[in-house]
Amino acid sequence: MSTTTPRWGRKGTVIMGTVLLAALAFGTTTRTWLNVTLPATDVVTPDVAVSGSDAATAVTAFAVVGVAAALAAGIAGRIARWVIAVIIAVSGIGVAVASYRIITDPLQGAAGAIGKAIGVSSAEGTVAELTVMPYAALAIGILIALAGVWLALAGRYWTTSRRYAPTAEPAAGATAADSAEGTAAPGPDVRSRKDAASGPPVDEIDSWDRLTRGEDPTDPK
């Protein structure tokens, strides 16, 4: 991380803050969003509690996207961070819009639970009361959208670490010596060492005999 990065723009702060907001949005869906009172003449148990995951499934999906995008921002490059910032902003808007729809029309969010209870999605006399959770999800969704803007602004100060494998460079003296040795004709001593290393010629019979003794026939010894 660059030493000139302001405190508000630190990578860990931005990522963890965004992840926390998205996790809170997801957490609201595990709580009761609607308390539905059905007509007592239609069911034995007229009271039904509807969780956020049932009332607004989109909130759960957008919250998961927000968490994944925030975590991906930690290893993304400059251009990818801009794309991720847009994704986070869109996920926040999605959470807010889905929550607002439940707030403005509670019976719409309770339709699934009502259908399971009485067989139809609506009934005259049904009352759906909101809890505080849809309002909390709406506020958190707005904050997640702002976190996308926060990431876009803070990401300008982040540096992408790149590691390269070090390559060994031959010394100048060794290079010059290798070049000189490669261009010069081998001397008699060099030729004699090569001839000695190659050893005497080995015919097929000798090779077979050495192979049966468990020796390597290609070994010049």
Side-chain angles (χ1 to χ4, degrees):
M1 183 173 60
S2 175
T3 55
T4 59
T5 302
R7 181 175 298 179
W8 61 268
R10 292 178 179 175
K11 181 183 292 187
T13 302
V14 176
I15 293 176
M16 292 307 298
T18 307
V19 169
L20 179 61
L21 288 173
L24 287 175
F26 182 86
T28 61
T29 62
T30 63
R31 312 301 296 178
T32 300
W33 278 37
L34 299 169
N35 289 316
V36 180
T37 302
L38 300 173
T41 57
D42 295 337
V43 292
V44 177
T45 305
D47 296 332
V48 177
V50 183
S51 65
S53 58
D54 294 331
T57 56
V59 173
T60 303
F62 282 120
V64 172
V65 171
V67 172
L71 294 175
I75 59 175
R78 181 179 297 272
I79 297 177
R81 282 196 296 266
W82 281 96
V83 177
I84 292 173
V86 174
I87 294 174
I88 292 175
V90 170
S91 65
I93 294 173
V95 170
V97 170
S99 303
Y100 181 75
R101 287 179 177 176
I102 300 301
I103 294 173
T104 56
D105 189 4
L107 288 177
Q108 178 185 359
I114 296 173
K116 292 179 181 179
I118 61 177
V120 293
S121 60
S122 63
E124 186 177 355
T126 302
V127 178
E129 296 181 356
L130 294 168
T131 66
V132 70
M133 288 301 160
Y135 298 97
L138 173 61
I140 294 171
I142 296 173
L143 292 177
I144 294 174
L146 294 177
V149 180
W150 183 21
L151 173 62
L153 296 176
R156 299 179 301 172
Y157 299 98
W158 301 352
T159 57
T160 304
S161 60
R162 298 178 180 177
R163 297 180 180 179
Y164 299 94
T167 55
E169 297 182 357
T175 304
D178 294 341
S179 300
E181 183 179 352
T183 55
D189 295 338
V190 176
R191 288 197 299 270
S192 62
R193 288 197 298 269
K194 291 182 178 179
D195 295 339
S198 61
V202 181
D203 56 17
E204 296 180 359
I205 297 177
D206 293 336
S207 299
W208 180 257
D209 292 339
R210 295 182 63 180
L211 184 61
T212 56
R213 292 195 301 269
E215 300 179 358
D216 185 3
T218 62
D219 190 355
K221 67 178 181 178

